[in-house]
Amino acid sequence: DLDHWIGLNGLYPTVSKSLQSVSKRYEGDTSSLFKFVYIVTTKQERFVRAILTKNDIHIINQDGRSNNIVIDPAQPKDTLYSNIFDLDNIYGSKINVLKELTRRLRENRNHLPLIHFVEDRYETLLNVIEHDRKLQLKIDQGVATEVEKMQSLSHVKLYLADWGYNTPGQRQQVVTEYADKIQLISQEDFADLVSKF
């Protein structure tokens, strides 16, 4: 049953408390920055919503809806306004989701804000670095289109969650080889980061 599954896929207590704290701080404020919190996951959206609701975490979507609304899986997804990019999102990979978020944020603001991308898969972060390395080569060679230039992820700060799906060896590589590009983050560091929102 769903409650049992949520119990097996729960949030780490520090992560849950951090998000609850920010969620409560902005409760009812649909103009707040908290509506610019996005979840990019390989789980299905309905399960993410169930986990968030069970943990009393309410992320406001861009249209002002909270994550605790019931989504009928038979209905078409309203990805344009959802702040949850799940397994079935229309953009595909996490890199493509970051590009879409970049486009949305660039469209709605005068400047491009820093995106904090907390990820537990080391390989995903390396893919983001490689994407930008290849793009920078194209820019340096003068062959990048204007659209491609807009897809730079240089404004995305990368964090490897030390509590996730990674190994001690990968965490060590972050510290020794990628410290200028990826920050290793503990649950306590995450709580500190989220408290600044």
Side-chain angles (χ1 to χ4, degrees):
D1 78 336
L2 184 60
D3 284 337
H4 178 71
W5 183 88
I6 291 172
L8 295 174
N9 291 276
L11 298 174
Y12 287 89
T14 304
V15 172
S16 178
K17 286 178 184 160
S18 301
L19 293 174
Q20 284 171 359
S21 173
V22 176
S23 174
K24 285 181 183 4
R25 189 175 338 142
Y26 292 110
E27 194 167 14
D29 180 3
T30 59
S31 67
S32 75
L33 285 177
F34 202 55
K35 70 179 176 181
F36 293 109
V37 171
Y38 298 88
I39 296 174
V40 185
T41 181
T42 54
K43 289 181 173 51
Q44 290 183 327
E45 182 176 5
R46 63 191 171 109
F47 293 124
V48 175
R49 288 180 182 280
I51 290 169
L52 292 174
T53 300
K54 182 78 169 176
N55 284 276
D56 197 27
I57 299 166
H58 306 282
I59 294 178
I60 304 302
N61 292 329
Q62 291 179 23
D63 64 352
R65 295 178 302 154
S66 174
N67 61 268
N68 60 356
I69 61 171
V70 176
I71 298 292
D72 178 356
Q75 294 298 316
K77 297 180 91 172
D78 187 7
T79 309
L80 179 62
Y81 294 109
S82 179
N83 286 21
I84 299 171
F85 294 87
D86 71 347
L87 175 69
D88 302 319
N89 82 77
I90 63 173
Y91 304 103
S93 72
K94 290 183 179 183
I95 288 178
N96 288 340
V97 170
L98 288 171
K99 289 181 199 176
E100 172 59 16
L101 290 176
T102 297
R103 186 196 65 73
R104 288 184 191 186
L105 293 170
R106 192 182 304 274
E107 192 175 86
N108 294 316
R109 295 179 174 212
N110 295 330
H111 68 285
L112 191 58
L114 183 65
I115 295 175
H116 297 275
F117 182 52
V118 180
E119 171 64 48
D120 63 354
R121 288 196 64 248
Y122 174 73
E123 295 82 3
T124 300
L125 297 175
L126 293 183
N127 289 340
V128 173
I129 293 169
E130 183 63 11
H131 161 79
D132 255 25
R133 186 191 70 75
K134 286 179 179 177
L135 179 57
Q136 191 57 52
L137 280 174
K138 287 181 83 170
I139 292 170
D140 292 346
Q141 295 167 352
V143 295
T145 66
E146 288 305 310
V147 171
E148 287 174 319
K149 289 177 189 176
M150 300 288 274
Q151 294 178 343
S152 168
L153 300 177
S154 60
H155 60 285
V156 178
K157 183 157 178 56
L158 305 175
Y159 300 90
L160 180 67
D162 73 358
W163 64 88
Y165 293 104
N166 50 69
T167 66
Q170 291 170 332
R171 292 190 287 273
Q172 184 59 37
Q173 272 190 299
V174 164
V175 172
T176 58
E177 296 178 37
Y178 294 102
D180 61 327
K181 300 197 181 319
I182 303 172
Q183 182 178 335
L184 187 63
I185 190 171
S186 67
Q187 291 182 58
E188 292 74 24
D189 296 331
F190 178 81
D192 185 51
L193 176 68
V194 170
S195 74
K196 296 174 183 168
F197 294 152

